[in-house]
Amino acid sequence: MKRIIPFERLHLLLHELAGLAPEDVERLRKQFGPNEIVETPDGGWRVLIKDTLRDPMLWFLLGTSVIFFLTGSRTESLVLLVALIPFLGMDAFLHRRTQASTAALVDRLATQATVIRQDQRRVVDATDLVPGDVVEVSGGEPFPADGLFVTADSVQVDESALTGEAYPVRKVASLTSNDPGRDVAFDDSAWGFAGTRMLACKAQLRVIFTGRETLYGEIVHTALGGRHERTPLQRAVGRMVGALLLAAVVFCVLLAAIRLYQGHGWLDALISAVTLAVAAFPEEFPVVLTFFLGVGVYRLAKRKALVRRAVVVENIGRVTTICCDKTGTLTEGRLTLAHHYPADGVTGERLLAIAAAASRPDSLDPLDTAILAAATDDPEATAIANFPFTEDRKRETTILKGKDGTFAVVKGAPETILLQCTAAEAEVERWHPQVLQLAAEGHKVIACAWRDQVDDVQEEPAEAFTFAGLLAFEDPVREGVKEAIAQCRAAQIRVIMVTGDHPETARAIASNIGLGGRSPTLITGDELEQCVARGDVNVLRETDVVARAVPAQKHTLVRSLQG
């Protein structure tokens, strides 16, 4: 997922790390506006009232009720006022739900940020940030805007809100060299995105995009700015009501003219025409349609389904394809230890104890959390030195002091750990197919090892380890997903998994839940864009999984299927 920085914004990368001056901040804020990533819908309740007042049925029922009231028919007036409840109640309920969903989107965002300006650290409201600012983000904090890492040592980020990736993502500092006269693309490993969260360590970020220009802001704008089209049933009812209304108006005018011709006066003619209109005008159709759509919204809400517009209830019955996210939807959205494979002479409990000793209890890394949750034995040792994971070393080493002396434990990428061990080459070859198979099944695989004697605690030991075994982690499938997929298939509804996750992980999950049979058809988000650009939509008819898809590509997929 490369992000392009336009040429005219590359000058932001050239500012000193000491931060912007006040005059620069003011100038950039005027140019780019405040960092409002999720904008509150304009007008609030006033917009709701304005939209509701556009409904001609509302004015017809209200006007007729007033006439009945003035002529002494209080019961009829009250009945017509009661008929307004479904209209007003439905609009108010859906408005409240939309406001609540918007508030939930805001909860993922940073409210404050630590910014460096003129070599001084200060805490400001996140909305005050501007492109060019340098911000510091610590473990557990969300990113306040989209930017490039200028310092990043052992940084891990939870990006599941944007990509669906359940595993922590490693980040590296960006190279700020640029080619004058051209836009520059930076790989996602150098970006920190608003709406995502730092898991470990501390880093500095150069803000590049703020507000609606952030990826998160683009998603929110797309979600809240969808087209409000009328459904086929609404259009059919509208045409029928229009035809009947025309006929009713003709008869009402004719009746009023007859009453005037007979000498009954204007008031009698008006009441007679309105009475006929109430009897002839098909107000029941819109009322009943609105009422039953409201029942559908209520039933969906009880099942925790967010419905922005009542007409969706009708459209649900027309669904032919469901595009579904993976992480947190088909899966539980959390890492668990699925399998452990101890080496010869090592028990499963011993393997887990070694892995737990190499994990930090205060870490926000989901891998450490899963290991510590699975381990039962206490190593009865105190950590005296830690060498955290880096992209170069691909391992984390901890030196501990126990009752039998000082020892070291290490966990990390299997190919790295095996090279540190005294295992024979034949044993390394024996574990290699196991690692490949687990990775192909969508697991996150790490290896563990230990060393009994460490003399120098200031230097990380890099050899003479004893291999302990492999740990395989997964994001488990949610209960009931397989049955739901089977129900959709029985109803002739296609299901397409659309995720930002790795293709092999996505394929493994799809096979596990019965999506696409034993060999689901998979394409990547980039391949999807290329097919749509060529007009080759036939590929979409056979696709079961779209992997490595960014939010804009997910939107492209849905629009293409609708077309």
Side-chain angles (χ1 to χ4, degrees):
M1 187 170 66
K2 291 183 180 292
R3 194 92 199 270
I4 296 176
I5 302 180
F7 166 71
E8 60 271 14
R9 203 171 291 201
L10 288 176
H11 67 89
L12 299 173
L13 304 178
L14 304 179
H15 286 291
E16 297 293 334
L17 294 182
L20 301 173
E23 56 271 19
D24 293 328
V25 173
E26 274 307 310
R27 175 177 55 82
L28 291 166
R29 183 174 292 118
K30 289 179 180 178
Q31 180 179 355
F32 297 104
N35 181 31
E36 293 182 353
I37 297 175
V38 178
E39 300 177 8
T40 305
D42 295 335
W45 288 100
R46 286 179 295 179
V47 171
L48 169 66
I49 295 173
K50 183 179 178 180
D51 290 341
T52 303
L53 292 179
R54 293 175 180 171
D55 195 328
M57 175 61 68
L58 170 69
W59 291 107
F60 177 80
L61 294 177
L62 187 61
T64 307
S65 175
V66 170
I67 293 176
F68 272 125
F69 181 82
L70 294 176
T71 56
S73 301
R74 306 294 172 84
T75 302
E76 288 82 352
S77 176
L78 180 61
V79 168
L80 289 172
L81 287 177
V82 169
L84 293 174
I85 294 177
F87 290 99
L88 303 178
M90 177 77 62
D91 288 344
F93 175 74
L94 293 180
H95 177 79
R96 183 169 172 269
R97 294 270 297 184
T98 301
Q99 294 295 102
S101 67
T102 304
L105 292 172
V106 176
D107 289 342
R108 284 187 172 271
L109 301 174
T111 57
Q112 293 184 317
T114 302
V115 63
I116 300 175
R117 289 175 179 167
Q118 290 193 315
D119 231 358
Q120 292 184 349
R121 285 170 175 78
R122 62 188 73 179
V123 177
V124 301
D125 289 340
T127 55
D128 289 337
L129 295 179
V130 296
D133 264 328
V134 177
V135 296
E136 280 191 352
V137 185
S138 302
E141 296 179 353
F143 291 93
D146 287 4
L148 289 170
F149 285 99
V150 292
T151 63
D153 185 17
S154 304
V155 167
Q156 299 183 67
V157 177
D158 173 14
E159 290 189 340
S160 57
L162 284 182
T163 66
E165 180 78 61
Y167 304 132
V169 179
R170 308 286 178 178
K171 296 291 183 177
V172 297
S174 62
L175 299 176
T176 57
S177 60
N178 61 79
D179 184 3
R182 297 179 57 186
D183 298 344
V184 178
F186 287 89
D187 193 77
D188 64 336
S189 61
W191 284 93
F193 298 108
T196 66
R197 184 170 59 100
M198 179 84 85
L199 291 176
C201 301
K202 178 185 290 186
Q204 289 186 345
L205 194 79
R206 172 86 70 186
V207 175
I208 304 296
F209 298 106
T210 58
R212 282 174 53 173
E213 290 187 324
T214 63
L215 283 181
Y216 196 86
E218 290 176 5
I219 296 173
V220 172
H221 179 64
T222 301
L224 298 181
R227 296 176 297 175
H228 287 200
E229 296 179 346
R230 302 180 73 199
T231 67
L233 181 57
Q234 280 186 312
R235 291 195 292 267
V237 170
R239 287 193 298 268
M240 181 176 63
V241 169
L244 294 177
L245 174 61
L246 180 60
V249 168
V250 171
F251 278 106
C252 289
V253 172
L254 182 61
L255 176 61
I258 292 174
R259 298 295 287 180
L260 283 173
Y261 179 77
Q262 293 174 342
H264 291 283
W266 281 102
L267 181 60
D268 179 86
L270 178 62
I271 293 176
S272 299
V274 169
T275 303
L276 177 59
V278 172
F281 188 76
E283 72 273 9
E284 295 86 355
F285 290 114
V287 171
V288 170
L289 176 61
T290 304
F291 175 77
F292 277 101
L293 289 179
V295 172
V297 170
Y298 173 73
R299 292 175 63 185
L300 287 168
K302 287 181 66 176
R303 301 187 67 170
K304 297 182 174 59
L306 175 63
V307 179
R308 289 177 53 221
R309 294 183 295 123
V311 296
V312 171
V313 176
E314 179 201 338
N315 280 338
I316 286 175
R318 304 177 186 275
V319 166
T320 59
T321 305
I322 296 174
C323 296
C324 186
D325 190 23
K326 180 185 75 68
T327 304
T329 306
L330 298 177
T331 65
E332 294 183 5
R334 61 181 180 86
L335 282 183
T336 60
L337 179 62
H339 312 285
H340 57 279
Y341 301 92
D344 295 340
V346 180
T347 65
E349 291 76 13
R350 169 70 172 156
L351 172 59
L352 290 177
I354 292 172
S359 304
R360 288 167 289 171
D362 58 345
S363 173
L364 295 174
D365 189 334
L367 284 175
D368 285 355
T369 302
I371 290 172
L372 294 171
T376 55
D377 291 347
D378 189 345
E380 297 182 355
T382 303
I384 57 177
N386 178 265
F387 303 88
F389 183 100
T390 65
E391 285 296 327
D392 295 333
R393 293 166 37 255
K394 295 188 181 302
R395 66 182 184 271
E396 179 171 4
T397 306
T398 303
I399 301 176
L400 303 101
K401 187 173 184 179
K403 57 183 180 180
D404 297 327
T406 303
F407 64 98
V409 291
V410 62
K411 72 179 194 299
E415 61 274 15
T416 300
I417 303 302
L418 283 167
L419 289 176
Q420 291 184 276
C421 297
T422 55
E425 185 175 342
E427 187 176 358
V428 174
E429 292 298 324
R430 180 170 68 88
W431 286 104
H432 186 64
Q434 181 78 59
V435 173
L436 294 180
Q437 180 181 346
L438 289 170
E441 293 172 354
H443 292 90
K444 173 82 170 180
V445 186
I446 65 170
C448 300
W450 85 94
R451 175 175 164 175
D452 284 328
Q453 187 62 40
V454 177
D455 298 323
D456 186 1
V457 299
Q458 302 300 322
E459 185 176 347
E460 179 184 14
E463 57 184 16
F465 280 86
T466 302
F467 187 67
L470 300 176
L471 300 178
F473 301 83
E474 67 179 9
D475 182 9
V477 173
R478 289 178 59 182
E479 184 179 353
V481 165
K482 291 183 181 179
E483 292 77 9
I485 296 294
Q487 285 181 337
C488 289
R489 187 183 299 112
Q492 303 298 310
I493 297 175
R494 286 183 61 208
V495 178
I496 302 177
M497 179 200 296
V498 193
T499 177
D501 218 335
H502 191 279
E504 291 303 323
T505 303
R507 192 191 305 274
I509 294 294
S511 299
N512 189 15
I513 63 178
L515 185 60
R518 293 184 177 181
S519 182
T521 302
L522 182 145
I523 63 173
T524 64
D526 290 341
E527 292 170 343
L528 166 69
E529 277 194 322
Q530 294 170 6
C531 291
V532 172
R534 294 194 307 264
D536 184 12
V537 294
N538 289 327
V539 174
L540 304 182
R541 304 182 192 277
E542 307 298 331
T543 299
D544 301 305
V545 181
V546 181
R548 286 295 188 222
V550 298
Q553 292 168 342
K554 297 177 181 181
H555 190 239
T556 298
L557 172 63
V558 173
R559 295 296 296 271
S560 299
L561 290 170
Q562 287 176 335

